[in-house]
Amino acid sequence: MRGFDVLDPHLDLSKSYFLEASAGTGKTFTIENIVLRLLEKGTPIERILIVTFTRAATLELKMR
């Protein structure tokens, strides 16, 4: 299986990704960077769906 590198400029942002990892491993950082790259490409925020499983992660993403 190929590794996932959110900072790879060739990462296909048109695909769906499922991120599963332990606490403190950078999931929120990864989601934040994907959203920023989509916004930079002109994707309206209303077209981006982010699902998290804790209120803390949701709040942190909203703040970022």
Side-chain angles (χ1 to χ4, degrees):
M1 178 158 74
R2 201 175 128 220
F4 180 85
D5 180 5
V6 71
L7 301 177
D8 178 358
H10 304 292
L11 182 66
D12 186 357
L13 296 176
S14 65
K15 290 184 175 181
S16 296
Y17 294 97
F18 178 83
L19 303 174
E20 181 179 31
S22 299
T25 58
K27 294 179 298 296
T28 304
F29 172 84
T30 300
I31 293 168
E32 174 188 6
N33 277 277
I34 291 172
V35 170
L36 286 175
R37 288 177 57 188
L38 287 170
L39 293 172
E40 288 172 353
K41 289 181 75 172
T43 304
I45 191 75
E46 296 83 13
R47 303 258 321 141
I48 301 171
L49 173 66
I50 302 168
V51 178
T52 65
F53 293 98
T54 66
R55 288 190 173 114
T58 302
L59 179 61
E60 186 173 347
L61 283 167
K62 284 181 180 181
M63 290 173 49
R64 289 183 184 195

